[in-house]
Amino acid sequence: MEEATHDELAGVVDLFDALTRPELEQALVEVAYRRGADVRDDAVAAAVAEAVREYYLVELPADAVAGEVDAEAALVVGPVAFPMLPAEGEDLPHILDVPERSIDRAAAAEHVAERLREETETVVDDGDAERAATLIDVTYDAEAWGSVELEATRDRLLALTD
């Protein structure tokens, strides 16, 4: 399978509002099959993990998602994503048996804000200016994406990059 972009992963999740990791991985297998390509499980898992790390996808506790979720968490489109449906992805809702779900947007935004605050602590403690620069951009995206205030978090990150 050709490498899916983070925005394509978000595009698949966006079709359903929320997917568990196994559901997203199955969706990617289906897309690859329709393209006549093979999928390496480790590459799929790594792509999903990286998309979560970079805030293209957000992992929410199952109780922040309305509808049946057969896992402890579900993935939703994150604040930095510009969801883009991958080629051959348009039929996924007809192929996958995923129950209807919706997201508590306020809970999702607060989850992202809390994660950013926690990650900022680690980044500042480690003196990781490169990651701080990335997170500064994420704070702006998160504020636009949800009703959260991250100015204090951003200021801590800016102090590290100045």
Side-chain angles (χ1 to χ4, degrees), residues 55 110 112-124 131-140 142-143 148-161:
Y55 294 87
E110 191 50 48
V112 167
E114 186 57 35
R115 182 175 157 216
L116 278 164
R117 290 179 191 113
E118 289 172 5
E119 190 171 0
T120 294
E121 291 297 321
T122 302
V123 166
V124 169
R131 183 68 178 161
T134 298
L135 293 180
I136 289 166
D137 291 340
V138 175
T139 63
Y140 287 113
E143 286 177 333
V148 292
E149 172 56 52
L150 292 164
E151 185 176 357
T153 300
R154 188 170 36 257
D155 287 347
R156 293 197 67 215
L157 294 163
L158 284 165
L160 184 61
T161 61

PDB file of all heavy atoms in Angstrom, residues 55 110 112-124 131-140 142-143 148-161:
ATOM      1  N   TYR A  55      -1.184  15.223  16.215  1.00  0.00           N
ATOM      2  CA  TYR A  55      -2.486  15.880  16.392  1.00  0.00           C
ATOM      3  C   TYR A  55      -3.351  15.918  15.135  1.00  0.00           C
ATOM      4  O   TYR A  55      -4.273  16.710  15.045  1.00  0.00           O
ATOM      5  CB  TYR A  55      -2.320  17.298  16.971  1.00  0.00           C
ATOM      6  CG  TYR A  55      -1.767  17.287  18.380  1.00  0.00           C
ATOM      7  CD1 TYR A  55      -0.399  17.271  18.614  1.00  0.00           C
ATOM      8  CD2 TYR A  55      -2.621  17.273  19.476  1.00  0.00           C
ATOM      9  CE1 TYR A  55       0.115  17.248  19.905  1.00  0.00           C
ATOM     10  CE2 TYR A  55      -2.116  17.256  20.771  1.00  0.00           C
ATOM     11  CZ  TYR A  55      -0.743  17.242  20.983  1.00  0.00           C
ATOM     12  OH  TYR A  55      -0.250  17.216  22.264  1.00  0.00           O
ATOM     13  N   GLU A 110     -11.247  19.831  25.043  1.00  0.00           N
ATOM     14  CA  GLU A 110     -10.605  19.848  26.365  1.00  0.00           C
ATOM     15  C   GLU A 110      -9.567  18.737  26.490  1.00  0.00           C
ATOM     16  O   GLU A 110      -8.516  18.926  27.103  1.00  0.00           O
ATOM     17  CB  GLU A 110     -11.644  19.748  27.483  1.00  0.00           C
ATOM     18  CG  GLU A 110     -11.083  20.016  28.855  1.00  0.00           C
ATOM     19  CD  GLU A 110     -10.252  21.306  28.956  1.00  0.00           C
ATOM     20  OE1 GLU A 110     -10.698  22.366  28.488  1.00  0.00           O
ATOM     21  OE2 GLU A 110      -9.123  21.240  29.518  1.00  0.00           O
ATOM     22  N   VAL A 112      -7.728  17.562  24.039  1.00  0.00           N
ATOM     23  CA  VAL A 112      -6.558  18.041  23.295  1.00  0.00           C
ATOM     24  C   VAL A 112      -5.809  19.088  24.110  1.00  0.00           C
ATOM     25  O   VAL A 112      -4.582  19.064  24.196  1.00  0.00           O
ATOM     26  CB  VAL A 112      -6.963  18.597  21.912  1.00  0.00           C
ATOM     27  CG1 VAL A 112      -5.824  19.384  21.273  1.00  0.00           C
ATOM     28  CG2 VAL A 112      -7.402  17.461  21.006  1.00  0.00           C
ATOM     29  N   ALA A 113      -6.536  20.012  24.720  1.00  0.00           N
ATOM     30  CA  ALA A 113      -5.893  21.059  25.521  1.00  0.00           C
ATOM     31  C   ALA A 113      -5.108  20.449  26.679  1.00  0.00           C
ATOM     32  O   ALA A 113      -3.961  20.849  26.939  1.00  0.00           O
ATOM     33  CB  ALA A 113      -6.939  22.041  26.040  1.00  0.00           C
ATOM     34  N   GLU A 114      -5.696  19.475  27.342  1.00  0.00           N
ATOM     35  CA  GLU A 114      -5.007  18.826  28.477  1.00  0.00           C
ATOM     36  C   GLU A 114      -3.773  18.076  27.988  1.00  0.00           C
ATOM     37  O   GLU A 114      -2.712  18.130  28.624  1.00  0.00           O
ATOM     38  CB  GLU A 114      -5.962  17.884  29.209  1.00  0.00           C
ATOM     39  CG  GLU A 114      -5.377  17.303  30.467  1.00  0.00           C
ATOM     40  CD  GLU A 114      -4.903  18.354  31.469  1.00  0.00           C
ATOM     41  OE1 GLU A 114      -5.537  19.424  31.569  1.00  0.00           O
ATOM     42  OE2 GLU A 114      -3.882  18.103  32.152  1.00  0.00           O
ATOM     43  N   ARG A 115      -3.901  17.400  26.882  1.00  0.00           N
ATOM     44  CA  ARG A 115      -2.743  16.690  26.327  1.00  0.00           C
ATOM     45  C   ARG A 115      -1.632  17.670  25.960  1.00  0.00           C
ATOM     46  O   ARG A 115      -0.452  17.410  26.210  1.00  0.00           O
ATOM     47  CB  ARG A 115      -3.173  15.881  25.108  1.00  0.00           C
ATOM     48  CG  ARG A 115      -2.036  15.086  24.521  1.00  0.00           C
ATOM     49  CD  ARG A 115      -2.464  14.188  23.386  1.00  0.00           C
ATOM     50  NE  ARG A 115      -1.295  13.927  22.568  1.00  0.00           N
ATOM     51  CZ  ARG A 115      -1.302  13.806  21.272  1.00  0.00           C
ATOM     52  NH1 ARG A 115      -2.428  13.884  20.600  1.00  0.00           N
ATOM     53  NH2 ARG A 115      -0.184  13.589  20.610  1.00  0.00           N
ATOM     54  N   LEU A 116      -1.997  18.804  25.370  1.00  0.00           N
ATOM     55  CA  LEU A 116      -0.999  19.820  25.033  1.00  0.00           C
ATOM     56  C   LEU A 116      -0.319  20.368  26.286  1.00  0.00           C
ATOM     57  O   LEU A 116       0.894  20.577  26.295  1.00  0.00           O
ATOM     58  CB  LEU A 116      -1.638  20.957  24.241  1.00  0.00           C
ATOM     59  CG  LEU A 116      -1.812  20.703  22.756  1.00  0.00           C
ATOM     60  CD1 LEU A 116      -2.781  21.711  22.149  1.00  0.00           C
ATOM     61  CD2 LEU A 116      -0.464  20.753  22.046  1.00  0.00           C
ATOM     62  N   ARG A 117      -1.089  20.599  27.319  1.00  0.00           N
ATOM     63  CA  ARG A 117      -0.503  21.098  28.575  1.00  0.00           C
ATOM     64  C   ARG A 117       0.488  20.089  29.150  1.00  0.00           C
ATOM     65  O   ARG A 117       1.583  20.456  29.598  1.00  0.00           O
ATOM     66  CB  ARG A 117      -1.611  21.417  29.575  1.00  0.00           C
ATOM     67  CG  ARG A 117      -2.438  22.621  29.192  1.00  0.00           C
ATOM     68  CD  ARG A 117      -3.557  22.912  30.201  1.00  0.00           C
ATOM     69  NE  ARG A 117      -4.465  23.893  29.677  1.00  0.00           N
ATOM     70  CZ  ARG A 117      -5.748  23.654  29.355  1.00  0.00           C
ATOM     71  NH1 ARG A 117      -6.278  22.446  29.556  1.00  0.00           N
ATOM     72  NH2 ARG A 117      -6.500  24.614  28.870  1.00  0.00           N
ATOM     73  N   GLU A 118       0.100  18.809  29.135  1.00  0.00           N
ATOM     74  CA  GLU A 118       0.986  17.768  29.657  1.00  0.00           C
ATOM     75  C   GLU A 118       2.240  17.629  28.797  1.00  0.00           C
ATOM     76  O   GLU A 118       3.349  17.509  29.320  1.00  0.00           O
ATOM     77  CB  GLU A 118       0.243  16.430  29.725  1.00  0.00           C
ATOM     78  CG  GLU A 118      -0.814  16.382  30.803  1.00  0.00           C
ATOM     79  CD  GLU A 118      -1.676  15.130  30.731  1.00  0.00           C
ATOM     80  OE1 GLU A 118      -1.399  14.224  29.900  1.00  0.00           O
ATOM     81  OE2 GLU A 118      -2.648  15.053  31.513  1.00  0.00           O
ATOM     82  N   GLU A 119       2.056  17.636  27.483  1.00  0.00           N
ATOM     83  CA  GLU A 119       3.210  17.507  26.602  1.00  0.00           C
ATOM     84  C   GLU A 119       4.128  18.714  26.729  1.00  0.00           C
ATOM     85  O   GLU A 119       5.350  18.588  26.644  1.00  0.00           O
ATOM     86  CB  GLU A 119       2.778  17.301  25.155  1.00  0.00           C
ATOM     87  CG  GLU A 119       3.946  16.931  24.266  1.00  0.00           C
ATOM     88  CD  GLU A 119       3.568  16.498  22.870  1.00  0.00           C
ATOM     89  OE1 GLU A 119       2.367  16.452  22.519  1.00  0.00           O
ATOM     90  OE2 GLU A 119       4.507  16.205  22.105  1.00  0.00           O
ATOM     91  N   THR A 120       3.560  19.880  26.963  1.00  0.00           N
ATOM     92  CA  THR A 120       4.368  21.083  27.161  1.00  0.00           C
ATOM     93  C   THR A 120       5.273  20.918  28.374  1.00  0.00           C
ATOM     94  O   THR A 120       6.452  21.310  28.329  1.00  0.00           O
ATOM     95  CB  THR A 120       3.464  22.321  27.306  1.00  0.00           C
ATOM     96  OG1 THR A 120       2.797  22.528  26.063  1.00  0.00           O
ATOM     97  CG2 THR A 120       4.251  23.562  27.679  1.00  0.00           C
ATOM     98  N   GLU A 121       4.757  20.345  29.446  1.00  0.00           N
ATOM     99  CA  GLU A 121       5.587  20.093  30.637  1.00  0.00           C
ATOM    100  C   GLU A 121       6.813  19.263  30.271  1.00  0.00           C
ATOM    101  O   GLU A 121       7.938  19.590  30.650  1.00  0.00           O
ATOM    102  CB  GLU A 121       4.770  19.376  31.723  1.00  0.00           C
ATOM    103  CG  GLU A 121       3.688  20.205  32.351  1.00  0.00           C
ATOM    104  CD  GLU A 121       4.222  21.418  33.087  1.00  0.00           C
ATOM    105  OE1 GLU A 121       5.279  21.317  33.756  1.00  0.00           O
ATOM    106  OE2 GLU A 121       3.593  22.488  32.987  1.00  0.00           O
ATOM    107  N   THR A 122       6.594  18.205  29.536  1.00  0.00           N
ATOM    108  CA  THR A 122       7.687  17.318  29.140  1.00  0.00           C
ATOM    109  C   THR A 122       8.669  18.031  28.221  1.00  0.00           C
ATOM    110  O   THR A 122       9.888  17.944  28.403  1.00  0.00           O
ATOM    111  CB  THR A 122       7.128  16.062  28.429  1.00  0.00           C
ATOM    112  OG1 THR A 122       6.227  15.404  29.310  1.00  0.00           O
ATOM    113  CG2 THR A 122       8.231  15.112  28.018  1.00  0.00           C
ATOM    114  N   VAL A 123       8.145  18.749  27.245  1.00  0.00           N
ATOM    115  CA  VAL A 123       8.986  19.455  26.276  1.00  0.00           C
ATOM    116  C   VAL A 123       9.837  20.510  26.974  1.00  0.00           C
ATOM    117  O   VAL A 123      11.039  20.638  26.704  1.00  0.00           O
ATOM    118  CB  VAL A 123       8.110  20.074  25.165  1.00  0.00           C
ATOM    119  CG1 VAL A 123       8.872  21.080  24.338  1.00  0.00           C
ATOM    120  CG2 VAL A 123       7.541  18.976  24.276  1.00  0.00           C
ATOM    121  N   VAL A 124       9.236  21.248  27.877  1.00  0.00           N
ATOM    122  CA  VAL A 124       9.983  22.282  28.609  1.00  0.00           C
ATOM    123  C   VAL A 124      11.030  21.635  29.512  1.00  0.00           C
ATOM    124  O   VAL A 124      12.185  22.071  29.550  1.00  0.00           O
ATOM    125  CB  VAL A 124       9.022  23.188  29.407  1.00  0.00           C
ATOM    126  CG1 VAL A 124       9.779  24.087  30.368  1.00  0.00           C
ATOM    127  CG2 VAL A 124       8.169  24.023  28.444  1.00  0.00           C
ATOM    128  N   ARG A 131      10.442  20.421  19.194  1.00  0.00           N
ATOM    129  CA  ARG A 131       9.074  19.963  19.453  1.00  0.00           C
ATOM    130  C   ARG A 131       8.227  21.130  19.954  1.00  0.00           C
ATOM    131  O   ARG A 131       7.046  21.236  19.623  1.00  0.00           O
ATOM    132  CB  ARG A 131       9.063  18.806  20.463  1.00  0.00           C
ATOM    133  CG  ARG A 131       7.703  18.226  20.737  1.00  0.00           C
ATOM    134  CD  ARG A 131       7.135  17.510  19.540  1.00  0.00           C
ATOM    135  NE  ARG A 131       5.830  16.923  19.872  1.00  0.00           N
ATOM    136  CZ  ARG A 131       4.941  16.561  18.970  1.00  0.00           C
ATOM    137  NH1 ARG A 131       5.204  16.677  17.684  1.00  0.00           N
ATOM    138  NH2 ARG A 131       3.795  16.057  19.342  1.00  0.00           N
ATOM    139  N   ALA A 132       8.804  22.018  20.724  1.00  0.00           N
ATOM    140  CA  ALA A 132       8.084  23.201  21.207  1.00  0.00           C
ATOM    141  C   ALA A 132       7.570  24.029  20.034  1.00  0.00           C
ATOM    142  O   ALA A 132       6.424  24.488  20.045  1.00  0.00           O
ATOM    143  CB  ALA A 132       8.976  24.040  22.111  1.00  0.00           C
ATOM    144  N   ALA A 133       8.394  24.203  19.014  1.00  0.00           N
ATOM    145  CA  ALA A 133       7.981  24.979  17.838  1.00  0.00           C
ATOM    146  C   ALA A 133       6.782  24.326  17.164  1.00  0.00           C
ATOM    147  O   ALA A 133       5.841  25.011  16.739  1.00  0.00           O
ATOM    148  CB  ALA A 133       9.147  25.114  16.860  1.00  0.00           C
ATOM    149  N   THR A 134       6.782  23.012  17.079  1.00  0.00           N
ATOM    150  CA  THR A 134       5.642  22.296  16.504  1.00  0.00           C
ATOM    151  C   THR A 134       4.400  22.491  17.356  1.00  0.00           C
ATOM    152  O   THR A 134       3.311  22.769  16.836  1.00  0.00           O
ATOM    153  CB  THR A 134       5.962  20.786  16.391  1.00  0.00           C
ATOM    154  OG1 THR A 134       7.073  20.624  15.509  1.00  0.00           O
ATOM    155  CG2 THR A 134       4.767  19.998  15.883  1.00  0.00           C
ATOM    156  N   LEU A 135       4.552  22.370  18.657  1.00  0.00           N
ATOM    157  CA  LEU A 135       3.405  22.484  19.562  1.00  0.00           C
ATOM    158  C   LEU A 135       2.827  23.896  19.588  1.00  0.00           C
ATOM    159  O   LEU A 135       1.624  24.070  19.824  1.00  0.00           O
ATOM    160  CB  LEU A 135       3.778  22.019  20.968  1.00  0.00           C
ATOM    161  CG  LEU A 135       4.093  20.531  21.093  1.00  0.00           C
ATOM    162  CD1 LEU A 135       4.449  20.194  22.540  1.00  0.00           C
ATOM    163  CD2 LEU A 135       2.951  19.660  20.598  1.00  0.00           C
ATOM    164  N   ILE A 136       3.659  24.897  19.360  1.00  0.00           N
ATOM    165  CA  ILE A 136       3.145  26.268  19.291  1.00  0.00           C
ATOM    166  C   ILE A 136       2.096  26.345  18.184  1.00  0.00           C
ATOM    167  O   ILE A 136       0.999  26.886  18.399  1.00  0.00           O
ATOM    168  CB  ILE A 136       4.292  27.277  19.049  1.00  0.00           C
ATOM    169  CG1 ILE A 136       5.150  27.397  20.309  1.00  0.00           C
ATOM    170  CG2 ILE A 136       3.743  28.640  18.626  1.00  0.00           C
ATOM    171  CD1 ILE A 136       6.489  28.085  20.087  1.00  0.00           C
ATOM    172  N   ASP A 137       2.417  25.799  17.027  1.00  0.00           N
ATOM    173  CA  ASP A 137       1.454  25.794  15.926  1.00  0.00           C
ATOM    174  C   ASP A 137       0.198  25.012  16.296  1.00  0.00           C
ATOM    175  O   ASP A 137      -0.917  25.414  15.960  1.00  0.00           O
ATOM    176  CB  ASP A 137       2.077  25.200  14.661  1.00  0.00           C
ATOM    177  CG  ASP A 137       3.150  26.101  14.058  1.00  0.00           C
ATOM    178  OD1 ASP A 137       3.157  27.315  14.367  1.00  0.00           O
ATOM    179  OD2 ASP A 137       3.976  25.582  13.288  1.00  0.00           O
ATOM    180  N   VAL A 138       0.373  23.904  16.986  1.00  0.00           N
ATOM    181  CA  VAL A 138      -0.775  23.077  17.387  1.00  0.00           C
ATOM    182  C   VAL A 138      -1.680  23.849  18.340  1.00  0.00           C
ATOM    183  O   VAL A 138      -2.902  23.741  18.258  1.00  0.00           O
ATOM    184  CB  VAL A 138      -0.321  21.735  18.010  1.00  0.00           C
ATOM    185  CG1 VAL A 138      -1.523  20.947  18.531  1.00  0.00           C
ATOM    186  CG2 VAL A 138       0.458  20.904  17.004  1.00  0.00           C
ATOM    187  N   THR A 139      -1.114  24.668  19.223  1.00  0.00           N
ATOM    188  CA  THR A 139      -1.962  25.427  20.158  1.00  0.00           C
ATOM    189  C   THR A 139      -2.884  26.379  19.409  1.00  0.00           C
ATOM    190  O   THR A 139      -4.048  26.521  19.774  1.00  0.00           O
ATOM    191  CB  THR A 139      -1.143  26.221  21.204  1.00  0.00           C
ATOM    192  OG1 THR A 139      -0.344  27.211  20.562  1.00  0.00           O
ATOM    193  CG2 THR A 139      -0.289  25.294  22.066  1.00  0.00           C
ATOM    194  N   TYR A 140      -2.355  27.024  18.363  1.00  0.00           N
ATOM    195  CA  TYR A 140      -3.208  27.910  17.560  1.00  0.00           C
ATOM    196  C   TYR A 140      -4.319  27.113  16.868  1.00  0.00           C
ATOM    197  O   TYR A 140      -5.482  27.521  16.860  1.00  0.00           O
ATOM    198  CB  TYR A 140      -2.384  28.666  16.507  1.00  0.00           C
ATOM    199  CG  TYR A 140      -1.510  29.754  17.068  1.00  0.00           C
ATOM    200  CD1 TYR A 140      -0.127  29.644  17.025  1.00  0.00           C
ATOM    201  CD2 TYR A 140      -2.065  30.900  17.641  1.00  0.00           C
ATOM    202  CE1 TYR A 140       0.685  30.655  17.530  1.00  0.00           C
ATOM    203  CE2 TYR A 140      -1.264  31.905  18.144  1.00  0.00           C
ATOM    204  CZ  TYR A 140       0.113  31.779  18.089  1.00  0.00           C
ATOM    205  OH  TYR A 140       0.902  32.778  18.591  1.00  0.00           O
ATOM    206  N   ALA A 142      -5.565  24.247  17.791  1.00  0.00           N
ATOM    207  CA  ALA A 142      -6.497  23.718  18.798  1.00  0.00           C
ATOM    208  C   ALA A 142      -7.474  24.799  19.259  1.00  0.00           C
ATOM    209  O   ALA A 142      -8.658  24.513  19.474  1.00  0.00           O
ATOM    210  CB  ALA A 142      -5.732  23.141  19.981  1.00  0.00           C
ATOM    211  N   GLU A 143      -7.004  26.022  19.400  1.00  0.00           N
ATOM    212  CA  GLU A 143      -7.905  27.105  19.797  1.00  0.00           C
ATOM    213  C   GLU A 143      -8.954  27.380  18.720  1.00  0.00           C
ATOM    214  O   GLU A 143     -10.105  27.671  19.040  1.00  0.00           O
ATOM    215  CB  GLU A 143      -7.111  28.372  20.110  1.00  0.00           C
ATOM    216  CG  GLU A 143      -6.366  28.300  21.426  1.00  0.00           C
ATOM    217  CD  GLU A 143      -5.519  29.524  21.694  1.00  0.00           C
ATOM    218  OE1 GLU A 143      -5.068  30.193  20.735  1.00  0.00           O
ATOM    219  OE2 GLU A 143      -5.297  29.817  22.884  1.00  0.00           O
ATOM    220  N   VAL A 148     -11.079  26.304  23.533  1.00  0.00           N
ATOM    221  CA  VAL A 148     -10.079  26.157  24.597  1.00  0.00           C
ATOM    222  C   VAL A 148      -9.132  27.351  24.555  1.00  0.00           C
ATOM    223  O   VAL A 148      -8.928  27.960  23.509  1.00  0.00           O
ATOM    224  CB  VAL A 148      -9.284  24.839  24.479  1.00  0.00           C
ATOM    225  CG1 VAL A 148     -10.176  23.644  24.752  1.00  0.00           C
ATOM    226  CG2 VAL A 148      -8.610  24.708  23.129  1.00  0.00           C
ATOM    227  N   GLU A 149      -8.565  27.653  25.680  1.00  0.00           N
ATOM    228  CA  GLU A 149      -7.624  28.763  25.813  1.00  0.00           C
ATOM    229  C   GLU A 149      -6.251  28.165  26.123  1.00  0.00           C
ATOM    230  O   GLU A 149      -6.083  27.512  27.146  1.00  0.00           O
ATOM    231  CB  GLU A 149      -8.074  29.695  26.937  1.00  0.00           C
ATOM    232  CG  GLU A 149      -7.091  30.770  27.299  1.00  0.00           C
ATOM    233  CD  GLU A 149      -6.696  31.634  26.103  1.00  0.00           C
ATOM    234  OE1 GLU A 149      -7.589  32.138  25.411  1.00  0.00           O
ATOM    235  OE2 GLU A 149      -5.491  31.788  25.876  1.00  0.00           O
ATOM    236  N   LEU A 150      -5.310  28.391  25.232  1.00  0.00           N
ATOM    237  CA  LEU A 150      -3.976  27.812  25.393  1.00  0.00           C
ATOM    238  C   LEU A 150      -2.864  28.865  25.382  1.00  0.00           C
ATOM    239  O   LEU A 150      -1.715  28.544  25.130  1.00  0.00           O
ATOM    240  CB  LEU A 150      -3.742  26.774  24.288  1.00  0.00           C
ATOM    241  CG  LEU A 150      -4.620  25.536  24.411  1.00  0.00           C
ATOM    242  CD1 LEU A 150      -4.626  24.745  23.112  1.00  0.00           C
ATOM    243  CD2 LEU A 150      -4.164  24.680  25.569  1.00  0.00           C
ATOM    244  N   GLU A 151      -3.217  30.106  25.678  1.00  0.00           N
ATOM    245  CA  GLU A 151      -2.218  31.170  25.647  1.00  0.00           C
ATOM    246  C   GLU A 151      -1.086  30.922  26.646  1.00  0.00           C
ATOM    247  O   GLU A 151       0.092  31.087  26.304  1.00  0.00           O
ATOM    248  CB  GLU A 151      -2.868  32.525  25.918  1.00  0.00           C
ATOM    249  CG  GLU A 151      -1.896  33.673  25.769  1.00  0.00           C
ATOM    250  CD  GLU A 151      -2.562  35.029  25.942  1.00  0.00           C
ATOM    251  OE1 GLU A 151      -3.789  35.097  26.115  1.00  0.00           O
ATOM    252  OE2 GLU A 151      -1.820  36.023  25.885  1.00  0.00           O
ATOM    253  N   ALA A 152      -1.408  30.503  27.859  1.00  0.00           N
ATOM    254  CA  ALA A 152      -0.366  30.247  28.860  1.00  0.00           C
ATOM    255  C   ALA A 152       0.541  29.094  28.424  1.00  0.00           C
ATOM    256  O   ALA A 152       1.765  29.157  28.605  1.00  0.00           O
ATOM    257  CB  ALA A 152      -1.000  29.947  30.218  1.00  0.00           C
ATOM    258  N   THR A 153      -0.054  28.077  27.847  1.00  0.00           N
ATOM    259  CA  THR A 153       0.722  26.939  27.340  1.00  0.00           C
ATOM    260  C   THR A 153       1.638  27.403  26.212  1.00  0.00           C
ATOM    261  O   THR A 153       2.832  27.078  26.184  1.00  0.00           O
ATOM    262  CB  THR A 153      -0.227  25.832  26.842  1.00  0.00           C
ATOM    263  OG1 THR A 153      -1.047  25.417  27.925  1.00  0.00           O
ATOM    264  CG2 THR A 153       0.536  24.650  26.276  1.00  0.00           C
ATOM    265  N   ARG A 154       1.095  28.176  25.299  1.00  0.00           N
ATOM    266  CA  ARG A 154       1.878  28.697  24.171  1.00  0.00           C
ATOM    267  C   ARG A 154       3.022  29.584  24.679  1.00  0.00           C
ATOM    268  O   ARG A 154       4.141  29.511  24.174  1.00  0.00           O
ATOM    269  CB  ARG A 154       0.964  29.456  23.216  1.00  0.00           C
ATOM    270  CG  ARG A 154       1.625  29.870  21.946  1.00  0.00           C
ATOM    271  CD  ARG A 154       0.656  30.425  20.894  1.00  0.00           C
ATOM    272  NE  ARG A 154      -0.464  31.207  21.417  1.00  0.00           N
ATOM    273  CZ  ARG A 154      -1.726  30.748  21.529  1.00  0.00           C
ATOM    274  NH1 ARG A 154      -2.018  29.524  21.174  1.00  0.00           N
ATOM    275  NH2 ARG A 154      -2.665  31.521  22.003  1.00  0.00           N
ATOM    276  N   ASP A 155       2.745  30.404  25.676  1.00  0.00           N
ATOM    277  CA  ASP A 155       3.792  31.282  26.223  1.00  0.00           C
ATOM    278  C   ASP A 155       4.953  30.474  26.785  1.00  0.00           C
ATOM    279  O   ASP A 155       6.121  30.854  26.616  1.00  0.00           O
ATOM    280  CB  ASP A 155       3.210  32.202  27.304  1.00  0.00           C
ATOM    281  CG  ASP A 155       2.329  33.301  26.725  1.00  0.00           C
ATOM    282  OD1 ASP A 155       2.361  33.519  25.490  1.00  0.00           O
ATOM    283  OD2 ASP A 155       1.589  33.926  27.506  1.00  0.00           O
ATOM    284  N   ARG A 156       4.650  29.366  27.456  1.00  0.00           N
ATOM    285  CA  ARG A 156       5.714  28.497  27.984  1.00  0.00           C
ATOM    286  C   ARG A 156       6.553  27.926  26.847  1.00  0.00           C
ATOM    287  O   ARG A 156       7.770  27.835  26.937  1.00  0.00           O
ATOM    288  CB  ARG A 156       5.132  27.360  28.825  1.00  0.00           C
ATOM    289  CG  ARG A 156       4.498  27.886  30.106  1.00  0.00           C
ATOM    290  CD  ARG A 156       4.284  26.831  31.134  1.00  0.00           C
ATOM    291  NE  ARG A 156       5.575  26.347  31.608  1.00  0.00           N
ATOM    292  CZ  ARG A 156       5.795  25.077  31.956  1.00  0.00           C
ATOM    293  NH1 ARG A 156       4.850  24.182  31.880  1.00  0.00           N
ATOM    294  NH2 ARG A 156       6.979  24.704  32.390  1.00  0.00           N
ATOM    295  N   LEU A 157       5.891  27.542  25.775  1.00  0.00           N
ATOM    296  CA  LEU A 157       6.588  26.993  24.618  1.00  0.00           C
ATOM    297  C   LEU A 157       7.408  28.067  23.913  1.00  0.00           C
ATOM    298  O   LEU A 157       8.555  27.830  23.513  1.00  0.00           O
ATOM    299  CB  LEU A 157       5.593  26.356  23.648  1.00  0.00           C
ATOM    300  CG  LEU A 157       4.850  25.110  24.165  1.00  0.00           C
ATOM    301  CD1 LEU A 157       3.634  24.810  23.317  1.00  0.00           C
ATOM    302  CD2 LEU A 157       5.796  23.926  24.229  1.00  0.00           C
ATOM    303  N   LEU A 158       6.823  29.249  23.780  1.00  0.00           N
ATOM    304  CA  LEU A 158       7.541  30.357  23.143  1.00  0.00           C
ATOM    305  C   LEU A 158       8.797  30.732  23.918  1.00  0.00           C
ATOM    306  O   LEU A 158       9.822  31.066  23.321  1.00  0.00           O
ATOM    307  CB  LEU A 158       6.613  31.574  22.992  1.00  0.00           C
ATOM    308  CG  LEU A 158       5.579  31.483  21.882  1.00  0.00           C
ATOM    309  CD1 LEU A 158       4.504  32.548  22.051  1.00  0.00           C
ATOM    310  CD2 LEU A 158       6.248  31.576  20.517  1.00  0.00           C
ATOM    311  N   ALA A 159       8.731  30.672  25.230  1.00  0.00           N
ATOM    312  CA  ALA A 159       9.886  31.000  26.057  1.00  0.00           C
ATOM    313  C   ALA A 159      11.050  30.033  25.761  1.00  0.00           C
ATOM    314  O   ALA A 159      12.221  30.418  25.833  1.00  0.00           O
ATOM    315  CB  ALA A 159       9.522  30.937  27.535  1.00  0.00           C
ATOM    316  N   LEU A 160      10.715  28.803  25.399  1.00  0.00           N
ATOM    317  CA  LEU A 160      11.738  27.805  25.092  1.00  0.00           C
ATOM    318  C   LEU A 160      12.334  28.035  23.713  1.00  0.00           C
ATOM    319  O   LEU A 160      13.517  27.747  23.486  1.00  0.00           O
ATOM    320  CB  LEU A 160      11.123  26.402  25.166  1.00  0.00           C
ATOM    321  CG  LEU A 160      12.047  25.216  24.973  1.00  0.00           C
ATOM    322  CD1 LEU A 160      13.138  25.185  26.043  1.00  0.00           C
ATOM    323  CD2 LEU A 160      11.244  23.924  25.015  1.00  0.00           C
ATOM    324  N   THR A 161      11.564  28.573  22.794  1.00  0.00           N
ATOM    325  CA  THR A 161      12.061  28.747  21.421  1.00  0.00           C
ATOM    326  C   THR A 161      12.723  30.099  21.186  1.00  0.00           C
ATOM    327  O   THR A 161      13.366  30.288  20.165  1.00  0.00           O
ATOM    328  CB  THR A 161      10.910  28.572  20.395  1.00  0.00           C
ATOM    329  OG1 THR A 161       9.907  29.557  20.631  1.00  0.00           O
ATOM    330  CG2 THR A 161      10.334  27.178  20.465  1.00  0.00           C
TER     331      THR A 161
END
